[in-house]
């Protein structure tokens, strides 16, 4: 039979509303963070990144917030669209692990309801 | 711009067979990564290269797995012999520099099924 897999947290949002996806990262020494979007059958797609010397960064319809005190990262998506439905991953760089070693979170499944 | 290109997109083979996955990174990127994604374990880093040199292979599950990067535009991940538990989606990613503070760009993966 099938193995029991990861149970991803799911966030369901009405089209046009704003969404907030949260991520608790693991290491207080982490100095770089990225949000990725993964659609079915595709690889993770870079959305936005932030360095630890910042607490907020904005892109097109997306904002990333970093709270180093509580090791929390969030991704805000404004005016959600059906194409925003996907699994979203946060990733952190933990020095001195290695030049480019990213540690990925388990992901959140965002569903945009019409 | 061409992204990271992986081949094949799908591979189905019987256990015991050798499997070779291929990756062409983005031109100009000097770091390359191999990941494996499963429902059970999520996305795991297997190995990464910087300037064609393997830097960290601690994520490679066992000796059946090997990876090479003979030049800046090509890498392979080989499994020999393959086992059913190797079934997963394998991703290749590349990034511009080796400081750990540049985004990695992923290919669309190879879905591997070992029967």
């Amino acid at each position: 039979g099938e193995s029991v897999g990861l149970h991803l947290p799911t966030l369901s949002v009405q089209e046009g509303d704003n969404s907030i996806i949260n991520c608790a990262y693991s290491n207080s020494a982490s100095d770089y963070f990225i949000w990725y979007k993964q659609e079915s059958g595709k690889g993770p797609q870079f959305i936005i990144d932030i360095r630890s010397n910042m607490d907020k960064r904005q892109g097109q319809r997306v904002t990333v917030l970093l709270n180093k005190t509580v090791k929390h990262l969030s991704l805000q998506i404004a005016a959600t669209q059906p194409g925003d439905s996907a699994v979203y991953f946060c990733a952190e760089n933990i020095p001195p692990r290695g030049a480019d070693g990213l540690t990925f979170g388990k992901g959140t499944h965002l569903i945009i309801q019409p | 711009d061409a992204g990271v290109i992986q081949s094949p997109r799908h591979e189905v083979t019987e256990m015991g067979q050798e499997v070779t996955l291929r990756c062409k990174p983005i031109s100009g990127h000097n770091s390359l990564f191999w990941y494996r994604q499963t429902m059970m374990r999520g996305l795991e880093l297997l190995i990464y290269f910087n300037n064609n040199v393997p830097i960290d292979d601690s994520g490679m599950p066992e000796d059946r797995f090997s990876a090479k990067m003979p030049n800046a535009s090509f890498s392979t991940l080989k499994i020999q012999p393959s086992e059913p538990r190797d079934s997963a989606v394998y991703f290749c990613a590349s990034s511009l520099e080796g400081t750990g503070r540049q985004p990695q760009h992923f290919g669309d993966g190879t879905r591997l099924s070992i029967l």
Side-chain angles (χ1 to χ4, degrees):
Chain A
E2 276 190 277
S3 300
V4 176
L6 286 174
H7 176 67
L8 292 180
T10 298
L11 177 63
S12 186
V13 176
Q14 287 293 121
E15 182 180 351
D17 287 353
N18 299 334
S19 68
I20 300 176
I21 301 171
N22 296 303
C23 176
Y25 62 91
S26 63
N27 195 309
S28 56
S30 296
D31 60 359
Y32 177 66
F33 307 86
I34 305 178
W35 280 101
Y36 285 93
K37 172 187 180 183
Q38 187 175 21
E39 297 174 277
S40 180
K42 295 190 175 182
Q45 177 188 0
F46 169 77
I47 301 174
I48 192 167
D49 59 0
I50 188 167
R51 287 171 168 69
S52 59
N53 60 352
M54 303 171 69
D55 54 18
K56 180 179 180 179
R57 192 167 187 217
Q58 288 185 289
Q60 187 178 15
R61 285 200 306 119
V62 295
T63 301
V64 56
L65 298 177
L66 175 63
N67 185 331
K68 295 181 287 294
T69 303
V70 295
K71 294 189 289 185
H72 184 267
L73 194 67
S74 67
L75 177 70
Q76 300 177 0
I77 305 174
T80 53
Q81 304 167 358
D84 294 330
S85 293
V87 176
Y88 290 80
F89 294 94
C90 65
E92 61 185 302
N93 177 67
I94 308 174
R97 173 183 172 175
D100 292 292
L102 287 176
T103 299
F104 283 81
K106 299 302 183 188
T108 296
H109 190 187
L110 177 64
I111 298 172
I112 307 302
Q113 303 280 4
Chain B
D1 288 344
V4 175
I5 299 172
Q6 292 186 245
S7 65
R9 289 298 315 276
H10 304 274
E11 175 89 14
V12 180
T13 192
E14 293 186 346
M15 66 177 293
Q17 297 297 307
E18 178 179 292
V19 173
T20 299
L21 311 181
R22 296 172 176 80
C23 175
K24 177 179 168 53
I26 293 172
S27 178
H29 282 190
N30 58 8
S31 292
L32 182 141
F33 310 82
W34 283 100
Y35 289 87
R36 178 171 67 178
Q37 187 176 42
T38 62
M39 285 298 294
M40 287 292 293
R41 301 172 69 91
L43 198 61
E44 303 173 280
L45 177 66
L46 300 177
I47 185 171
Y48 76 89
F49 296 83
N50 193 31
N51 293 320
N52 312 340
V53 176
I55 302 300
D56 183 354
D57 66 353
S58 59
M60 296 286 261
E62 48 196 275
D63 292 345
R64 296 185 297 106
F65 286 68
S66 62
K68 293 183 180 179
M69 192 166 185
N71 57 62
S73 59
F74 183 66
S75 176
T76 59
L77 178 68
K78 188 171 292 187
I79 308 172
Q80 166 65 19
S82 57
E83 296 182 4
R85 61 192 168 119
D86 302 330
S87 297
V89 182
Y90 290 81
F91 288 104
C92 177
S94 68
S95 71
L96 187 57
E97 62 173 278
T99 64
R101 295 160 194 87
Q102 290 288 333
Q104 296 177 19
H105 299 271
F106 285 75
D108 280 337
T110 295
R111 183 173 294 275
L112 178 64
S113 297
I114 308 298
L115 306 177

